[in-house]
Amino acid sequence: MKKILSIILFIALIAVITESCDKQLEIRPQGSVDKVTLQDARGIELLVTSSYASLTENGRGATPSNWSFGSIYGGDANKGTDPGDTPEVNEFEVYNILSNNGYCSEKWNFNYNGIKRVNHTINVINSVVGVDPTLKTKRLGELKFLRGLFYFELRRVFKMVPWVDEVLEAKENNPKVKNDVEILPNIEKDLTEAIAALPDKQDNIGRVNKWAAKSLLAKLYIFQGKFDVAKVLLKDIVDNGVNAGGVKYSLVEKYSDNYNISKENNSETVFAIQHSVDATSGYNANPGQSVNFPHNSGPGGCCGLFQPSNVFVNSFQVDANGLPKLDGSYMNTIIPGNEISGARDVNDADRTIPVDPRLDHSVGRRGIPYYDWGLPKTDWVRNPSNGGNFMPKKNVYRKNDVYTLKFDGWAPASALNTDIIRFADVILWYAEACAETGDLEIARNNVNLVRARAANDVVMFNGVPAANYHVGNYPASYFDTKDNAMKAIRFERKLELGMEGHRFFDLQRWGFTVAKSEIDFYLAKEKVYIQKFASASAFAEYKMYFPIPNGQILSMGNAEDGTPYLKQNTNY
Amino acid sequence: MKLNRNVLSFYKGGGLKKFLLIMKLTWAFILILNLQMSASVWSQTTTMSLKLKNSTLQELFTKIEKGSEYRFFYNNDEVDVNQRISVDAEDKTIGVILETALKGLPYSFKESENKLIVIEKNGELTNPTGVNVQQGKKVTGKVTDQTGASLPGVSVVVKGTTTGVITDNGGNFTLANIPENATLQFSFVGMKMQEIAITDKTTVNLVMEDETIGIEEVVAIGYGVQKKKDITGSVTVVDVAKLKATPASNFGQQLQGKAAGVTVIAQGAPGSSTMVRIRGIGTVNNNGPLYVIDGVSTRSQDLNSINPNDIESIQILKDASSASIYGAQASNGVIIITTKKGKSGTPKVTYDSYYSVATPIQFYDLLNSRDRVNLEWTSKINAGTIRGTTTVPTHPQFGTGLTPTFPKYIIPSGSNGPFTVKDWTESNRITEFSEGTNWYKKSTQNAPTQSHQMTVSGANEVASYLFGLNYFDQDGTFLYTYYKRYSARLNTEFKVRKWLRIGENLTLTFSKANRFTDQSEGNVVSWSYRMAPWVPVYDISGKFAGSKANGAGNGRNPVAELTRSKDNYNNDLRIFGNMFAEADILPELKLRTNFGIDNTRNHYYNMVMNNPEFSESSGVNQFNEGAGFNYRTVWTNTLNFDKLFNDVHRVKAMIGSEYIQDGVGRGMSATRYSYLFEDNINTWTLSNGGTKDMSNSSYWNNKVTMFGLFGRLDYAYNNRYLLTAIVRRDGVSRFSSSNRYGVFPSISAGWRISQENFMKSLTWLDDLKIRAGYGVTGNSEIPRASNWATEYATDAGSTNYDFNGTQSTAYTGFMLNKFGNPDTKWESTQMLNVGFDATFFKGMFDANVEYYVRKTSDMLVMDNYSALAGSGQRPYVNLGDMENRGWDFAINHQHKIGKVGYNVGLNISTYKNKVVKLNSSDGTRFWGGATRFGSVNMTQKGSPVAMFYGYQILGFYESTTDVSNYKGASGARKGLTVLPLGLGTDAELIASQWVGKYRYQDVNGDGKINADDKTVIGNPNPDFTGGINLGLNYGNFDLSAYFYGSYGNDIFNYVKYWTDFQSFEGNRSTTMRDKSWEPGKVGAVLPILDYQDNKSNSDANSYYVEDGSFLRLQTMSLGYKLPKNIVNKAGFESCRVYLQGSNLFTLTKYSGLDPEVSNQDLGDSGDLTKGVDWGRWPMSKQFLIGINLVF
């Protein structure tokens, strides 16, 4: 009896424990909230913010500044640093990109991450009731712009990419779509809808407004060679466009203000990624450029990547009229850049050759003051045998800039914004659209707008210009034919937008013939000074687009028809 | 406790009952002692098998006493023990045996309390009257065990007579009136019987020696104990004495090579973690075993916080049929640790100490300054020649020209630095220049270790206690590194009632350490080869020199790094213990409740000082501080039942419940910059830092709860056929309520075939048991505490955006940061285990062989969403299957020839791992082992985990024709030249530039070398690992040696990226100098020296993969036990001194520092990063002197 009683007691005890413990197994996640919590106006704003924030969450390969995809692949610069450092970029500089290149997959992941956030946010906005419809419309417009931006980037880089919209996002955590449909019409639709939904003036300077959306649509037209529609749209932007703060678009007085943390969000800003460095973290800074700083005792003291090429630097040479040497003769006598024996820290040869003043805002070179950091020292260049003698500058902060830091005490970051579209770019598109459609004089005037502004801003050293600066406006003779006008406009884009990630994408839309001749010229000239270019691969048509990341092809696997969801671009 | 069938003659004067009363006290004491030692196996159901033909009663009693816990009492005057009897019993209770034996004799028996069997003459017991009193001498003495503890209850008998006595609580005895020439026999259960001739002695002090414990040994098997002979699952019982032969900060290191089926990888850093894996790799998640210490389970793999000196026994449950009692946590095996308890009457004080010195092992073969610079020159000249450009080499330090100009000084130009041109004088010449700096030598040291362990223990009728203190202080072989540990233990048990025992086990460990345990390109080992040899340690003004010297790359001065971090440390505190109560509800029913706690607390701070000599110096110092705590609590209740039915059916049953909470805790950390007085440790507070760029964070540990109900049934028929069934139902908070519970059953059976009659003729065979088991265990150990929930969170770097362009203030955002999956359920592991255990030739040999198949199904893998899903963390889903098959093999031999005793042990473990399924899509690959050129470990369906993946080198392109003669095998490029790495079209090929470069295998035969041609180039999983244990003793000397080895595993020697290729400006290997390709050169292993060669090192290739097999003499030690008389004179009970060498040699072909390479990622999913060597802290050679003292 005693035995039975004990057993019953024990079983009863276990039953009680079981019951109470079962409840203990229900635990809410710690450190997060659920979707229901975000179903209101505040929730919408929080999700929209993170959709924008995906722009700043970029790595060195993903960064929309496109220093590797646009500038290095386009010949503005080479990798710099030591041969073994960041080997992904070696493949960019010698036109030998493999399908497992880390930067390509970063690029892919970054854009789809942004798209996922946008789609998810659109779905939340559409499902929330009781929120001011004007706010909803506005935010949906912003999101459509962002989605258009992400897809346009994917389209330029990889050509054929899968399209995931909010409908599919709502259905599948892990969407599987083939990359067999041209997505340009979808992008155009997104941007058109964004234009319709967006206001002229925005709630904050960092948001997208109607004119930014129009500008991106214009860029899309230009990309497709639709110069007629582009011209109309661009004229509207040039005549009536205002930035998100409501200030009319215009070129800022000084060219270098575009690369100055304290002069950001000005009249030239069409759309820029807002980077910030606050007291508690630097992770909204521009991490994608964190290694692109002069080496050793130089600004940032980091890694010494992204060194301007000899061809790029010498493109700034001008003739007696202050006009560029469009025939390529600038490579006949070059700016040496390296140290002249006996002269430390000053290189007279570098300073006497007449150049466009934009050179010394785009490039750090010996003998020319580098912002407020003083004259560059020899150790600012890490390994001249591998990277030449020049240093990047547009992405580098000033010594006295407040909003800068180093990631984990290592690579530098700053609050310097990344321009996606600045007004000078819009003006040059307008010039290009005009030239393509026969309005050569309007084209010339617009190019000269940019050149005239360039003349306003020269680097000074001891109270005098640091080098022999000269920039002149194009006379009509340079714009006598469409071909000549295009030659000048294309060269102007190289000078005005150099080191800003545009160069290759310009070559891309100008077509394989132009791209090949420019890249062949670059390699032929550059290999004289830097050996690695002698082993660069000849530029071929398939290289107009980058390989679709191998890992993603494997990861998405095969569709039901047995073929892979993602088809690799030819020859990769 | 073999004793005193004779003692009644000593008690002629008193009544038996009175005697028994006195004896009871002694017995009560001995009982407690036994409880501690073997956790009590007796019951009223003790059975045994006996076969006696025409033997004496005395023989019968002796046999029963040997094979059970029973002792016999009788009066010599009444009982004639020379009566002949016959018994034939198979697995019968003692009672049945006695009944049979005494049938027909005028005796009856009755069992008294505490296993005493009193044999009485039938009818009224008559008190013994009168003794045959002899006039003789009186002898006194004391009996102790080998550790010096007094032994009560030892039987001391005058040989050839029935006169005797048992020792008292102090181990003392007195025998009076014995013959002058008597010989005394000393006997005690579990110890060797000894005989001492008295001659003229009046005092006899004796040390009893342990008898080798055989199959009667009782081992812990999870919520209970079992006789080793009755085990049907796969349980390795570790010989703790052998473990102790290797002094180490944790028992994991000691376990290496001692247990078949258990793979252990240690690290060289002091107090660093040790990786233990049981029977292969069962999952892509956490593969660490469950540790159960004194009944409290913990998942913590931090073995350093368990003082190895405290360990009494270790059992390893390797298969599902033994481990499934731990159900949901057992799929990686279970290691059961029991700590020492107080053992004997008088307080025993022991002191164990050792002192050792570790010396750094040989470093990589690197170049001196001159060779390094010359290599640079050759490479640059070749680069020009290969490309048809005649570039003259140039270097910021060594000038421009066809030969380098070696300067007198290294100029750290550009540094804001320590000296100027004016300081350069001949007397300040950097004299180390030509040979250069051996950075490794400069940053290492001979490092002492000391350990002191003091233990006080004892027990009496109502309580047992053990109190231990340990101080362990190990310096690392790198400058200023150390690990110190202070630990205390208190284990007590109280018998508060006859039926109720209450006790606790508690340990408290505090450690402080400054060392690096990571494998990374940023640790000091890596800096020692990443620094150029031509940079001196100090510049001419005595400050640190470094890569600020222009052209020196971006290495950090390791001496500076170590010196500046000498005051940084981590503090850890762990409180681990349990309280228990155990009640005997009924004789066969025992209830136990046990509450355990594992509390860890850590605190760290480190100042990352300014390093102005570093080329990529941040120019600002940084201070990090953080702290956290965690609780795990385990509450267990069990009910144990044990009974023998009808003499042949033995049934043991257990049911229980367990509630576990883990991850209860929080942590916080903060960083500040710009300390004005970084050298002054007193200013190292957060408030002394600058406010710019500060960061603060805090976090939850993420609570997980688990609840289980379990039962176990052991059935044995006639001691011959054994069956064990287990079932456990576990629930865990990680999964949604619909998938929360899992049921994990197992069954195993054994056949003690040696008990069968047909085997009896094999006299050489002592025991043979064959057994098989099958069971299911579970696993839910994924890094997500709430895998079922979709979560939204904010994270400044990912979600916030500065809409107002303030440059400094961002709006807060929220994102979907974790996908949830409510359908995810338990990962389960099915395991089949077959094996046998055998001992033969009277215990001279024992062998244990097992084969197992371990299949993991519904393996929890992070869902393989493509990038289209965004960056939210993927949920774990049940998508994978994994399989391991292997053999565990152990054989031991021990023998004594004359005075020389020796033993030889060999154990071998094998596993063949295979991923059967990884995800819904066959192409899914899991990557691990991140390097500068991507991941090198690839895990995919159909092959073992973590295979090395890269290009297979077929040789070199010897000439341009060699380039063009390499043809595509299929497709569009069939018969056309295989385009070298990265080329897409023929137009891109410049054949001359590929001469002397690696020719990669065109795996898919498409005539192009590209990412699709990467293939499996190595396997980090060994064919087998094993240990050889050797022991030898002669008189007071003992000698032992332990070997550990691994065969057939590959290592990915990632260090070669820096030392063997044109990567960074650090140092290079002698291999690169001597074995780089040149036209016509034989034996080249590296491509032609070409400064612009960025293809040969741009991705993983087979050059990095090396055979990682090794055999290491782990320890060799020589001990000497000081003669008793000397020791006693000095006031000690016993004293042993020993000398030891560790890691004396390693046979290996591996070219890295140390072939014992662990995972790169030491965290949860670390097994996917197996075998990649980033320059780990190598094991060092160690010489040691130690002492064991007993007071």
Side-chain angles (χ1 to χ4, degrees), chain A residues 2-3 6 10 14 17-18 21-22 24-35 38 46-47 49-50 52-53 56-57 82-85 87 90 96 98-100 108-109 112-113 116-117 120 162 164 173-175 204-207 261 264-265 272-281 283-284 295-297 301-303 378-379 382-383 385-386 402-406 408-410 415 527 531-532 534-535 537-538 542-543 550 552 554-557 571-572, chain B residues 380 383-384 387 389 391 394 413-414 547-548 550 553-554 585-586 589 591 615-618 622 635 637-639 655 657 659 691-695 700 702-703 705-707 709 731-733 740-741 786 788-789 791-793 796-805 807-808 810-816 819 864-871 921 923 925 932 981-985 987-988 990 993 1008 1010-1012 1014 1057 1062-1065 1091-1092 1094-1095 1099:
Chain A
K2 190 178 148 202
K3 193 187 294 182
S6 301
F10 186 76
I14 293 230
I17 295 167
T18 310
C21 286
D22 194 46
Q24 295 296 320
L25 300 184
E26 197 72 51
I27 301 176
R28 295 296 312 162
Q30 292 178 316
S32 62
V33 300
D34 60 12
K35 193 171 184 175
L38 299 170
L46 291 172
L47 290 168
T49 305
S50 79
Y52 273 94
T56 66
E57 203 188 355
D82 290 333
D85 200 356
N90 292 341
N96 247 332
L98 289 160
S99 63
N100 61 340
W108 179 280
N109 297 352
Y112 277 108
N113 179 44
K116 166 75 185 182
R117 286 201 198 161
H120 194 70
V164 184
N173 279 349
N174 181 25
N204 315 86
I205 189 81
R207 289 185 192 270
I261 293 176
E264 289 181 336
N265 294 320
I273 298 174
Q274 303 291 322
H275 291 294
S276 63
V277 174
D278 58 29
T280 55
S281 95
Y283 293 107
N284 292 309
H295 188 57
N296 215 322
S297 65
C302 180
C303 319
T378 35
D379 68 354
R382 179 157 171 178
N383 188 337
S385 304
N386 193 53
V402 180
Y403 305 111
T404 63
L405 59 66
K406 299 214 176 193
D408 300 328
W410 170 63
K527 74 177 178 192
Q531 288 169 339
K532 64 187 169 190
S535 33
S537 286
Y542 74 92
K543 294 177 182 178
N550 196 34
Q552 288 301 316
L554 290 170
S555 169
M556 284 182 69
N571 283 324
Y572 282 112
Chain B
K380 285 180 173 171
R387 286 167 187 77
T389 59
T391 310
T394 179
S413 76
S547 52
K548 205 83 180 177
N550 205 5
N554 62 347
I585 300 179
L586 294 171
L589 203 60
L591 174 67
S615 62
E616 293 178 355
S617 170
S618 67
Q622 177 185 343
W635 183 33
N637 298 290
T638 52
L639 190 61
I655 54 170
S657 73
Y659 175 62
T691 51
K692 187 170 180 261
D693 307 336
M694 63 162 99
S695 76
W700 288 102
N702 293 321
K703 180 174 158 182
T705 53
M706 195 178 276
F707 177 65
L709 291 174
V732 71
S733 62
R740 192 158 284 157
Y741 288 95
S786 43
W788 52 274
E791 302 175 50
Y792 292 75
S798 301
T799 60
N800 297 4
Y801 197 70
D802 179 18
F803 279 124
N804 286 333
Q807 327 284 11
S808 62
Y811 278 56
T812 299
F814 265 64
M815 64 177 175
L816 193 174
F819 292 95
N864 185 44
Y865 292 0
S866 79
L868 272 50
S871 64
S921 149
R925 288 165 176 188
R932 289 224 169 207
L981 186 62
L983 306 188
T985 55
E988 299 164 40
I990 309 164
Q993 295 191 358
K1008 271 187 223 177
N1010 58 22
D1012 299 333
K1014 289 177 76 176
Y1057 178 72
Q1062 311 282 353
S1063 298
F1064 285 82
E1065 294 297 300
Y1091 193 72
Q1092 293 297 347
N1094 52 30
K1095 287 285 182 205
D1099 210 331

Side-chain angles (χ1 to χ4, degrees), chain B residues 736-792:
Chain B
S736 72
S737 53
S738 49
N739 288 307
R740 192 158 284 157
Y741 288 95
V743 176
F744 308 101
S746 80
I747 188 149
S748 57
W751 180 21
R752 289 188 64 209
I753 195 165
S754 55
Q755 297 290 311
E756 299 287 355
N757 286 329
F758 62 82
M759 294 292 281
K760 293 274 153 93
S761 57
L762 300 177
T763 48
W764 54 272
L765 185 70
D766 306 337
D767 193 71
L768 175 65
K769 177 175 64 184
I770 56 175
R771 53 192 163 77
Y774 174 80
V776 182
T777 52
N779 183 28
S780 68
E781 284 302 315
I782 46 175
R784 272 287 286 284
S786 43
N787 186 62
W788 52 274
T790 297
E791 302 175 50
Y792 292 75

